[in-house]
Amino acid sequence: MNFFAMAIIALMLSFPGAAGAEWYKGNTHSHTINSDGDSSPDIVARWYKEQRYNFVVITDHNYNTDVRGLNALLAAPGKFLVVAGEEVTDRFKLSEERTLPLHVNAIATDQSRGARTIGPSGGGSVGEVLQRDVDSIRAAGATPQLNHPNFRWAVDVDAMHRLRNYALFEVWNTSTNCNNLGGGGYPGTEALWDSVLTRAKTVYGVASDDAHQFKDWGPEYSNPGGGFVWVKADTLEAGAIAAALDRGDFYSSTGLRLERLEISSRRILIESELNGQTRHRVTFIGRGGRVLYQTDDNPAVYEIKGNELYVRAKVVDSNGRVAWTQPVFVE
Ligand SMILES: [Zn+2]
Ligand SMILES: [Zn+2]
């Protein structure tokens, strides 16, 4: 099914204003030669357009890449858009031996009066650095996304829980060294997510590329295409996309596409697009990361009981591709 057909599939969500909205596929994290990527912004944007993404956010380290000229060339109404952004790239020196990287994406920065870099704010602790960066991103009118918490094991559950004024974090970062799955005594990003949700704090999981290499391809490179979001938004416009992400009106994926996603306070229905002999397994997860229900049915339906605190779903297909839906909190 192509993305035009995907876009018109009926969706029932519990939030108002969903009528008329459409699904848009995008990547919220990519680099160019304006930081440590290997390709020009033009090549990067064209790659995503040719792969039939609807949007890509250019997020160079401490550099606000100007996307206005790119959009003059490449934007197509309702089909493709380059979204301005920046990876606010900060750090905290824990000791002489250990400096923690603290990176927060700014999504949909305002370039109406030029491309102005936000840059790192610094601070006296991990929490202060992250908070000042999130706040400066908000002050610039952009939407923050806490990147790769497990990159050099920098951001733990307490930091994620204390941080205010953000909703997005990377549950999946496709680049080569972000330790999504955890290990060596550190929890994976999904376990971090459940720990934060169990403390009744709403955060939404993003899958992103963090693409750096568009010329050389292979397992040692951070190539594009491995992690993306499907966003339900009224229009393909930078502000609308960022607002929909910030509200949790999206799901994340490493390649699995959903045909139907119905989330209400009473039940969750998930139907995967499964081609040929591909099958899936859907796990519904609640308080403490506990499995509430697991099924191979397609569609998969979970009736909310009321005592789960929250419910989110993880879909894994028989070829290892994953989709994550956003948590719904139960009254
Ligand atoms: Zn980073
Ligand atoms: Zn990055």
Side-chain angles (χ1 to χ4, degrees):
M1 183 183 301
N2 66 34
F3 67 91
F4 296 106
M6 182 69 198
I8 58 170
I9 286 169
L11 178 96
M12 184 186 75
L13 284 177
S14 55
F15 57 90
E22 299 203 5
W23 288 102
Y24 299 107
K25 179 184 179 179
N27 169 40
T28 64
H29 195 162
S30 58
H31 294 273
T32 79
I33 51 171
N34 287 334
S35 60
D36 54 352
D38 73 353
S39 296
S40 68
D42 183 76
I43 287 173
V44 170
R46 282 181 197 276
W47 189 91
Y48 286 97
K49 184 174 183 180
E50 283 164 9
Q51 299 301 316
R52 305 216 301 179
Y53 282 63
N54 299 114
F55 69 92
V56 59
V57 190
I58 305 284
T59 53
D60 280 304
H61 296 288
N62 296 333
Y63 190 91
N64 198 251
T65 292
D66 195 330
V67 304
R68 292 172 296 176
L70 290 175
N71 275 324
L73 284 172
L74 299 175
K79 292 181 184 171
F80 185 72
L81 180 70
V82 185
V83 176
E86 174 182 335
E87 185 169 13
V88 173
T89 304
D90 218 330
R91 63 188 60 189
F92 178 71
K93 189 172 176 181
L94 205 59
S95 66
E96 285 306 317
E97 298 79 38
R98 194 158 177 229
T99 297
L100 304 178
L102 301 170
H103 299 181
V104 186
N105 270 3
I107 297 172
T109 53
D110 178 13
Q111 296 190 335
S112 59
R113 282 169 292 172
R116 288 179 297 194
T117 288
I118 297 168
S121 296
S125 65
V126 167
E128 188 183 17
V129 169
L130 287 173
Q131 193 63 63
R132 291 180 65 184
D133 289 332
V134 162
D135 291 348
S136 66
I137 289 166
R138 289 285 188 198
T143 295
Q145 168 185 293
L146 178 61
N147 290 342
H148 46 61
N150 278 353
F151 179 43
R152 295 189 200 155
W153 314 104
V155 180
D156 63 10
V157 61
D158 289 325
M160 284 183 64
H161 178 240
R162 284 197 208 104
L163 187 61
R164 300 178 307 279
N165 212 12
Y166 82 110
L168 304 173
F169 91 106
E170 283 182 337
V171 68
W172 187 264
N173 178 302
T174 306
S175 71
T176 55
N177 55 0
C178 285
N179 306 311
N180 301 305
L181 299 182
Y186 289 94
T189 47
E190 273 204 77
L192 285 175
W193 195 8
D194 284 311
S195 294
V196 174
L197 294 171
T198 298
R199 297 186 193 183
K201 183 184 183 73
T202 302
V203 284
Y204 302 124
V206 171
S208 83
D209 280 344
D210 199 358
H212 288 72
Q213 279 87 36
F214 293 77
K215 292 190 163 83
D216 297 313
W217 292 74
E220 67 270 46
Y221 298 112
S222 294
N223 294 133
F228 45 87
V229 287
W230 280 100
V231 184
K232 182 90 167 145
D234 290 333
T235 60
L236 184 58
E237 181 265 318
I241 293 291
L245 284 164
D246 217 22
R247 285 195 303 266
D249 293 343
F250 71 99
Y251 69 91
S252 295
S253 177
T254 65
L256 187 59
R257 195 181 284 192
L258 303 184
E259 257 182 82
R260 285 169 77 198
L261 175 59
E262 299 179 6
I263 300 175
S264 76
S265 58
R266 293 162 70 176
R267 70 169 201 166
I268 298 173
L269 181 150
I270 293 170
E271 183 172 0
S272 297
E273 181 190 302
L274 299 175
N275 297 315
Q277 293 301 307
T278 304
R279 299 292 182 261
H280 80 174
R281 179 159 299 157
V282 182
T283 305
F284 294 91
I285 297 158
R287 187 197 312 265
R290 277 193 292 277
V291 173
L292 302 166
Y293 176 57
Q294 196 171 62
T295 179
D296 292 358
D297 291 349
N298 192 31
V301 178
Y302 179 76
E303 305 284 347
I304 291 172
K305 291 164 185 62
N307 61 356
E308 295 94 336
L309 180 63
Y310 69 90
V311 185
R312 67 178 185 86
K314 179 180 186 178
V315 189
V316 183
D317 82 11
S318 47
N319 295 302
R321 298 178 299 180
V322 182
W324 296 267
T325 70
Q326 303 310 326
V328 55
F329 273 86
V330 177
E331 303 292 310

